[in-house]
Amino acid sequence: MREDLFTQHETAIQLPFTGLWLARNSPARRVPSHGTDLLGERYAIDFVGADERRRTAPVRDWRTILATEPPDRYYAFGRPILAPADGVVVDVHDEEPDHDGRRSQLALVPYVLGQAQRLRQGVGAVAGNYVTIALPGNRAFVALAHLRAGSVRPAVGDPVRAGQQIAECGNSGNSTQPHVHLQIMDSADITVARGVPMAFLDFHEQARGSKGFQHRRAGIPGEESMVRPASG
């Protein structure tokens, strides 16, 4: 990652995956993107694995409507998660289980009611399994969360290169279906960090309602946009 990619307003990184993903809770829609400034989330974004039809899972049955679903039913679960920039790993947490996904409104009700309790339990209960990478110069820190249990590869102190696999997508922590949550912060300590604006480099985006992909040299995907790296 070149130093000239760091601007006054945004930190530029790569998408942390290959293939097709849907952008959700995008800061292009609102800020704070997740409705809070807590835990460095002000400019965070979520990506959910999908197919060409924008489906996040290939199956819909009675469990989709009435109950929970195993995480491996979803396209995102187990997909490789890549380092979005060169840097050094400064924090790793890989102790949280992957739980069932919830597309059912009935199953979402008790889950939503448990939000406050998860926040009181600490970062792991919210972020699930995560990796935090210090970007060059320690001027910003990127965290990738909700990773698959047991899939985190680097340890604290390990250097990583952009595009290197660091984990797999999971459904750990405060997650209703497998996805990767990404945010950039001004501190390695998520409990006190403030969110930092970011931009992704060199990707294709198909906006919701659009028929084709557009190439973007840099920017933030819009809400419900389909994205894929330009290189793969």
Side-chain angles (χ1 to χ4, degrees), residues 3 15 23 25 40 43 55 61 65 71 75 84 92 96 104 127 129 134 167 175 190 196 205 214 220 230:
E3 285 291 321
L15 290 172
N25 296 313
Y43 300 100
R55 300 181 305 171
D61 58 18
I65 301 170
Y75 287 120
V92 168
E96 308 297 326
S104 162
N129 304 310
S175 174
I190 294 177
V196 173
E205 176 178 7
Q214 299 293 322
I220 287 288

Side-chain angles (χ1 to χ4, degrees), residues 8-200:
Q8 181 179 359
H9 302 294
E10 297 172 336
T11 299
I13 57 176
Q14 297 178 12
L15 290 172
F17 45 69
T18 60
L20 293 173
W21 298 69
L22 283 170
R24 291 184 174 165
N25 296 313
S26 172
R29 178 186 64 163
R30 66 174 185 178
V31 174
S33 59
H34 285 59
T36 180
D37 284 325
L38 293 175
L39 305 179
E41 289 189 301
R42 183 171 180 81
Y43 300 100
I45 190 169
D46 295 329
F47 293 102
V48 185
D51 64 8
E52 294 83 357
R53 296 165 57 186
R54 295 177 166 264
R55 300 181 305 171
T56 62
V59 176
R60 290 187 68 88
D61 58 18
W62 68 269
R63 298 191 65 166
T64 308
I65 301 170
L66 299 175
T68 62
E69 301 171 273
D72 58 4
R73 174 176 284 200
Y74 296 83
Y75 287 120
F77 191 71
R79 282 190 181 181
I81 298 300
L82 315 177
D86 297 347
V88 176
V89 174
V90 293
D91 195 8
V92 168
H93 183 75
D94 192 2
E95 301 176 1
E96 308 297 326
D98 292 295
H99 50 75
D100 283 352
R102 299 168 185 262
R103 287 185 284 176
S104 162
Q105 293 300 311
L106 291 174
L108 283 170
V109 171
Y111 185 83
V112 170
L113 294 176
Q115 294 278 33
Q117 181 180 358
R118 284 189 290 275
L119 186 59
R120 289 192 295 269
Q121 290 173 344
V123 173
V126 178
N129 304 310
Y130 64 87
V131 173
T132 303
I133 300 168
L135 301 183
N138 288 337
R139 291 196 288 174
F141 303 83
V142 57
L144 301 101
H146 308 307
L147 305 175
R148 185 178 184 178
S151 75
V152 175
R153 295 187 175 189
V156 171
D158 286 351
V160 293
R161 302 287 294 178
Q164 173 184 335
Q165 182 173 345
I166 57 172
E168 296 175 7
C169 184
N171 199 43
S172 57
N174 187 34
S175 174
T176 57
Q177 66 173 291
H179 73 286
V180 61
H181 170 106
L182 186 149
Q183 63 190 46
I184 299 184
M185 314 169 292
D186 65 357
S187 170
D189 185 349
I190 294 177
T191 63
V192 299
R194 294 176 298 179
V196 173
M198 60 185 157
F200 294 100

